[in-house]
Amino acid sequence: MQILDGKKTSEDIKNEIAAEVQSIKAAGGKVPHLAAVLVGNNGASLTYVGSKVKSCQQIGFDSTLVALPEDITEADLLAKIKELNEDENLDGYIVQLPLPKHIDEEKILLAIDPDKDVDGFHPTNFGRMALEMETFIPATPFGIMQLLERYKVETAGKHTVVIGRSHIVGRPMSILMSRKGNPGDSTVTLTHSRTKNLAEFTKNADIIITALGVPEFLKGDMVKDGVVIIDVGITRVDDPSNSKGYVIKGDVDFDEVSKKASFITPVPGGVGPMTIAMLLQNTLLARKIRSRK
Ligand SMILES: Nc1nc(=O)c2c([nH]1)NC[C@@H]1CN(c3ccc(C(=O)N[C@@H](CCC(=O)O)C(=O)O)cc3)C=[N+]21
């Protein structure tokens, strides 16, 4: 059994990006500039946005945190987005999800300039991804593809079962694994909350990608020997004995499933850190595309 070490791999990728930033600087070019829009102050969102800002500093990107009040109106948020779209100094930005209930998420995502949409959530970029064109691949699925590639996990002709059809993980993941190329060329089954007899699919899977948010959902008796496991779940479970007051749990019962797996991602230290690295990779791409224009 081999651990797919997202912490280490994300550090490798960040070092590669940092080296590119140095050569951009040496050539007198402009360094990539990423902004994150955070509405309100959800604990997990703050953690994520915080590590993003820290990573930007680490690799030499410019970064801006746009912190807005929980009760901001949709119109005011749209005005802010227009400002970011027009900011010549900014290469890419993300609007941290989920947004407060009174704001229409779809309306906000549609307002983001696709050329600055480093999350790859805009329909234009989602379509480009599905059509195998150059674009921003959503960071979590992109990070998973990088882990599969760098650890040389075979995907061609394999049966990949994705659990969860969210727009930011499960759905794009199913598309990427079915695309031509390596990693890819997989036969994909996309399962979700209305799937019947889920275990019949997972038991026949060569690769399982879970993005469910149910701690320790996937048990040892639901998988076959040699399976490849990608665990996207990150749920904070209260734990008074821990100094933070919580522990982070994945969707996979690691103790049981790791005994049968050929490759497996840990939680934490698996897919999560890769997400941040790939957001930075997308921002570098945004800068390169803008400098070509
Ligand atoms: N517009 C937008 N884009 C996103 O990409 C986006 C988002 N909204 N909203 C929330 C989710 C979640 N997400 C994570 C990124 C990194 C870790 C991460 O680094 N996790 C660490 C643990 C961090 C902790 O202590 O909580 C790990 O797994 O090792 C987790 C979650 C990005 N998301």
Side-chain angles (χ1 to χ4, degrees):
M1 187 271 292
Q2 196 175 358
I3 297 279
L4 298 171
D5 187 341
K7 192 158 167 49
K8 168 164 189 307
T9 307
S10 68
E11 291 301 328
D12 292 346
I13 292 171
K14 284 193 273 183
N15 286 332
E16 292 162 19
I17 298 172
E20 277 212 51
V21 172
Q22 287 316 310
S23 42
I24 290 174
K25 269 189 171 171
K30 198 180 143 319
V31 303
H33 181 186
L34 172 66
V37 178
L38 181 60
V39 181
N41 51 4
N42 170 289
S45 292
L46 274 173
T47 307
Y48 169 54
V49 171
S51 10
K52 184 210 68 78
V53 170
K54 209 178 75 192
S55 296
C56 280
Q57 288 164 354
Q58 218 182 0
I59 64 171
F61 280 16
D62 288 336
S63 74
T64 304
L65 173 60
V66 183
L68 300 169
E70 177 86 26
D71 62 358
I72 189 172
T73 65
E74 192 178 271
D76 284 351
L77 181 55
L78 285 168
K80 189 73 213 177
I81 285 177
K82 186 161 181 285
E83 211 179 283
L84 296 172
N85 286 345
E86 288 166 0
D87 183 349
E88 283 302 322
N89 222 340
L90 185 65
D91 296 303
Y93 66 97
I94 69 159
V95 177
Q96 179 77 9
L97 302 178
L99 287 167
K101 297 269 175 291
H102 66 278
I103 294 173
D104 182 349
E105 230 164 65
E106 192 176 297
K107 216 168 172 179
I108 301 302
L109 294 182
L110 281 168
I112 297 173
D113 178 351
D115 290 342
K116 291 188 174 180
D117 170 39
V118 286
D119 258 332
F121 294 169
H122 191 283
T124 293
N125 288 324
F126 200 94
R128 293 180 66 90
M129 172 194 66
L131 296 171
E132 306 176 318
M133 297 161 75
E134 179 182 65
T135 188
F136 306 113
I137 308 283
T140 301
F142 194 9
I144 293 168
M145 298 302 274
Q146 280 291 314
L147 281 175
L148 295 170
E149 182 178 335
R150 289 176 184 240
Y151 281 89
K152 300 188 166 51
V153 176
E154 245 183 78
T155 60
K158 302 293 183 188
H159 181 205
T160 295
V161 171
V162 179
I163 310 177
R165 56 181 158 182
S166 76
H167 294 172
I168 70 173
V169 183
R171 187 69 56 78
M173 205 61 236
S174 70
I175 293 169
L176 289 169
M177 289 299 279
S178 73
R179 292 200 323 186
K180 292 189 275 291
N182 180 38
D185 287 331
S186 207
T187 304
V188 177
T189 303
L190 179 56
T191 68
H192 46 75
S193 54
R194 301 298 299 268
T195 296
K196 291 178 181 156
N197 301 322
L198 178 68
E200 295 309 310
F201 292 100
T202 56
K203 273 187 232 169
N204 285 301
D206 301 308
I207 301 167
I208 301 175
I209 302 167
T210 64
L212 202 65
V214 180
E216 298 181 339
F217 171 83
L218 193 77
K219 301 289 182 191
D221 62 3
M222 295 167 74
V223 306
K224 71 177 182 187
D225 278 321
V227 68
V228 175
I229 300 285
I230 307 288
D231 187 352
V232 189
I234 32 157
T235 309
R236 290 184 172 191
V237 179
D238 289 339
D239 181 358
S241 74
N242 189 285
S243 61
K244 286 183 179 162
Y246 65 86
V247 287
I248 294 171
K249 293 254 181 221
D251 291 344
V252 176
D253 187 324
F254 189 89
D255 290 345
E256 286 185 21
V257 174
S258 62
K259 291 194 178 87
K260 297 174 98 174
S262 56
F263 294 91
I264 187 167
T265 60
V267 176
V271 174
M274 292 298 292
T275 298
I276 294 182
M278 301 329 288
L279 178 65
L280 302 171
Q281 186 80 65
N282 279 341
T283 306
L284 178 62
L285 176 62
R287 172 90 289 274
K288 285 182 183 166
I289 291 173
R290 285 165 66 74
S291 68
R292 297 206 282 257
K293 282 185 177 165

